[in-house]
Amino acid sequence: MQQRYVVPGGRRGSVIGDRELNVLAQLVSSDAPLSAGGWREAFEQAFARHVGARHALSVTSGTVALEIAIQLLDLAPGDEVVVTPQTFQASIQPLLDLDVKVRFCDIDPLTLNMDPAALEPLITDRTRAVILVHYGGCPADMDAIMSLTRPRGITVIEDSAHALGATYRDRRPGALADIATFSFHSTKNITSLGEGGMITLDRDDWAQRVSRYRNNEVDGVYAHGGTDAAKAPAALPWMMFSDEIYDRVCAGIRNAGTNATMSEAAAAVGLAQLDRLDELVERRRLIARRLDEVIAAFPGARPLCAPEGVEHAYHLYTFLVRDRDMRDALLRELDQRGVEVQLRYFPLHLTPEWRFRGHGPGECPVAERLWFEQHMNLPCHPGLLDSQVDHLVDALTAGLGAVTGAAANIRGGTAATV
């Protein structure tokens, strides 16, 4: 049996090259620490400059970044949080641990991002936060969302796991809201050796809390007035605990803290990848342009185009078709031609955990209709060879032709080369 030509999905979204291997060799052959050292500091500083935030604090994963960001909200029983259903479960999963009311906001059918028009009716006097995602790498309509939330004192968390390399009206995700989180998982636009995350924000007090929490310190409320340090047990000076151990009194504990320290090896690779971000994202955009051209040439299919003033990072390449019959037929056609197709993401309000919390069908009709009937994702990442991209384009052209009975009307594209 002849082996099929396979165009892989996004199992590895970034690519590792000589630059990353060189910094790893430099690190492991030196006497530098392998945790909490200079590479982590350099990565954080460069990342903060890149997104335009005052602080960037690295952690072990994007999921941990989201957990810590939600902890900063200090939510109390009865508080309300508005979230998007069109995202990976990690974006809102920490809310399952909290006694809060979650409201799912429907999405804009043109971008699959949170729809500001659907958000406004969901805001009440108990709304404390909004958690959104820049779906696929296309920034949400942040000016509209912030104009609704900021006057009301509502904190906005932008899950920017997809959006590194994107821009929104000459600004970058990571500095468009109150708190932002990033993922450096191996499927993302840059990676830090498979896992890693970042939290960006401007508030100094929040940055201090994040720093304490990730470094295995208690995120507590403290006051002065403890034991006189002079009365502490005698020891060599460098073996003494700091004066704050004796001087401070704990007035409350928010969270116990944990070890979420990004390793030096991960930070070194992350910094090297950040230097290559423009190159990596441009590769994604070249592939996306070729796919857009094919899809636009057939009736019943529509690419998702970025709104004016937005530059898409294409972590995911998503397009829509006419109905479920067309979607199912095209899925079979592409699978037979060796194209790995995934559907991201199942509407979260319909998952068992959120149904258990009282959510169900009809809550977000746009998200439900698009995912169950029209939504498709195609491979789009810099690890694809030119030959694989050519095969992807040919397979998509043939598949759409088969399910629509139409010939392509393509003006002619260029090879997706870096």
Side-chain angles (χ1 to χ4, degrees):
M1 182 175 179
Q2 186 176 6
Q3 186 174 2
R4 294 191 306 167
Y5 190 103
V6 177
V7 179
R11 288 173 293 185
R12 180 177 290 186
S14 192
V15 290
I16 300 295
D18 289 343
R19 187 177 308 184
E20 292 83 358
L21 296 176
N22 288 338
V23 297
L24 282 174
Q26 179 182 339
L27 170 63
V28 299
S29 63
S30 72
D31 293 330
L34 296 178
S35 178
W39 284 106
R40 186 183 75 165
E41 183 178 352
F43 184 31
E44 291 175 345
Q45 291 175 352
F47 201 89
R49 288 193 300 270
H50 175 81
V51 303
R54 183 177 174 86
H55 302 283
L57 298 106
S58 61
V59 291
T60 47
S61 71
T63 298
V64 169
L66 284 159
E67 291 171 354
I68 297 174
I70 290 172
Q71 288 173 359
L72 291 175
L73 301 174
D74 294 329
L75 296 171
D79 287 345
E80 297 181 2
V81 181
V82 182
V83 304
T84 177
Q86 185 61 54
T87 185
F88 181 57
Q89 62 197 37
S91 296
I92 62 172
Q93 194 158 295
L95 296 172
L96 289 169
D97 286 333
L98 304 175
D99 183 16
V100 297
K101 182 177 181 62
V102 173
R103 295 177 177 268
F104 284 91
C105 177
D106 214 346
I107 60 174
D108 181 341
L110 299 180
T111 64
L112 309 191
N113 283 320
M114 180 178 284
D115 186 351
L119 170 62
E120 187 167 18
L122 298 177
I123 295 175
T124 74
D125 59 0
R126 296 306 306 265
T127 305
R128 296 292 176 264
V130 170
I131 302 175
L132 57 86
V133 65
H134 302 305
Y135 175 82
C138 181
D141 189 353
M142 294 304 297
D143 286 350
I145 290 170
M146 298 307 292
S147 70
L148 292 172
T149 56
R150 188 149 279 165
R152 296 174 168 91
I154 298 169
T155 301
V156 176
I157 297 175
E158 48 173 330
D159 180 347
S160 301
H162 298 177
L164 192 59
T167 61
Y168 174 83
R169 298 177 182 175
D170 298 323
R171 294 173 287 156
R172 291 189 170 112
L176 302 176
D178 302 293
I179 308 169
T181 64
F182 292 84
S183 170
F184 308 131
H185 185 271
S186 61
T187 60
K188 297 303 190 291
N189 290 17
I190 69 170
T191 186
S192 52
L193 283 181
E195 291 285 1
M198 193 76 76
I199 302 168
T200 58
L201 43 79
D202 286 338
R203 281 181 47 172
D204 294 344
D205 60 328
W206 277 351
Q208 185 179 47
R209 286 180 60 184
V210 173
S211 180
R212 292 184 63 85
Y213 181 88
R214 69 171 181 178
N215 290 330
N216 244 333
E217 298 180 54
V218 176
D219 177 17
V221 179
Y222 297 94
H224 294 288
T227 304
D228 186 349
K231 298 179 181 178
L236 297 173
W238 57 85
M239 298 177 66
M240 293 283 288
F241 282 109
S242 62
D243 289 345
E244 68 177 22
I245 292 291
Y246 305 103
D247 180 58
R248 294 190 307 172
V249 172
C250 182
I253 297 173
R254 301 185 187 98
N255 292 286
T258 189
N259 180 2
T261 303
M262 176 179 281
S263 73
E264 285 293 275
V269 169
L271 181 59
Q273 288 264 291
L274 186 62
D275 288 341
R276 298 179 59 197
L277 178 62
D278 290 346
E279 163 203 337
L280 296 169
V281 172
E282 182 56 26
R283 173 68 171 177
R284 292 175 178 272
R285 289 177 177 146
L286 284 167
I287 297 170
R289 284 196 289 270
R290 293 192 67 186
L291 298 175
D292 281 350
E293 192 170 44
V294 172
I295 291 165
F298 287 92
R302 173 171 67 85
L304 292 182
C305 299
E308 185 178 356
V310 170
E311 288 188 317
H312 203 307
Y314 288 104
H315 169 64
L316 301 177
Y317 182 89
T318 306
F319 70 104
L320 302 176
V321 296
R322 181 178 55 244
D323 54 34
R324 180 180 290 185
D325 289 342
M326 181 177 176
R327 199 263 300 272
D328 292 350
L330 183 56
L331 284 171
R332 288 191 293 270
E333 291 286 340
L334 292 175
D335 181 67
Q336 290 170 7
R337 289 172 168 84
V339 176
E340 292 184 8
V341 181
Q342 297 175 326
L343 304 179
R344 293 175 173 163
Y345 296 96
F346 187 88
L348 288 184
H349 64 293
L350 302 181
T351 60
E353 301 79 15
W354 290 105
R355 294 202 312 269
F356 174 75
R357 292 285 288 262
H359 301 278
E363 198 166 341
C364 296
V366 176
E368 294 168 31
R369 173 174 55 84
L370 294 183
W371 194 87
F372 285 106
E373 300 179 9
Q374 299 178 264
H375 181 129
M376 293 186 70
N377 296 113
L378 291 173
C380 184
H381 57 85
L384 292 177
L385 303 175
D386 289 345
S387 58
Q388 291 175 316
V389 176
D390 290 340
H391 182 79
L392 172 59
V393 168
D394 291 344
L396 181 62
T397 303
L400 282 168
V403 301
T404 63
N409 180 21
I410 302 174
R411 294 184 300 273
T414 58
T417 56
V418 175

